[in-house]
Amino acid sequence: MPLDAEASVTVQGADGERKFQRARASMLGGATPLPQAQSKRFPLFLTPGDYTFFTSGGRDVGPFSSTVHVTAAIDWTNRDRIGIVYRERGVTVKWRAARPSGWVLITAVNSDEESGGVGLCSCVEHASAGSFHVPPDALANIPPTPAEPQGLPTNTLLVAELPGEDTARTLSSGGIEHVVAFFASVSARTVSYR
């Protein structure tokens, strides 16, 4: 059974306060990436600085708060030059990281529309490296992209920057042992796998 920790979480930062409901997906800023969704675009909320996430608690979990330091987003420098990924050659991804002490996760994913099978590979590199070559053997099980894909696009390449150390300060008054909170920035694009 899930623990009752109140129905909403509040996020407070330099640009004010936002509240979102735990029982449904909520957006702090931007717009949903799903092409079928009729979504309103909100101004971006998480600009660099400190943000506090808090709740007043519920039946099972007491009040808690966690403060997270938000950095600038990762800059995927060759993002616009990668439209086609030739699986037999691999692909090189380059970036400028906001936190050189962190990690960069590179993920390639696609699905086969006929069989429903999914291929995925993830590679991790030190953020300070600035680039990583995803080798052909890592891309070998990624299905090729059909000439005219149908439905929700799954042919995606993404680059995410993750912290290399604990960046959160958490206060809790009972019911939970630890809250894990961190800021990660993600840049993604659809590509054609060949």
Side-chain angles (χ1 to χ4, degrees), residues 98-139:
R99 295 174 289 210
S101 64
W103 297 92
V104 171
L105 174 72
I106 302 102
T107 300
V109 64
N110 198 16
S111 65
D112 183 299
E113 293 177 3
E114 289 184 29
S115 70
V118 175
L120 178 139
C121 77
S122 289
C123 305
V124 178
E125 178 60 274
H126 291 280
S128 60
S131 70
F132 183 82
H133 181 75
V134 180
D137 59 337
L139 298 171

Side-chain angles (χ1 to χ4, degrees), residues 62-112:
F64 69 87
S65 68
S66 188
T67 300
V68 176
H69 182 70
V70 171
T71 62
I74 189 168
D75 180 14
W76 179 1
T77 59
N78 67 339
R79 181 183 190 274
D80 294 336
R81 293 189 297 277
I82 302 175
I84 299 172
V85 174
Y86 295 97
R87 295 170 302 147
E88 75 279 359
R89 296 182 202 163
V91 62
T92 299
V93 176
K94 298 178 181 180
W95 63 84
R96 272 190 295 274
R99 295 174 289 210
S101 64
W103 297 92
V104 171
L105 174 72
I106 302 102
T107 300
V109 64
N110 198 16
S111 65
D112 183 299

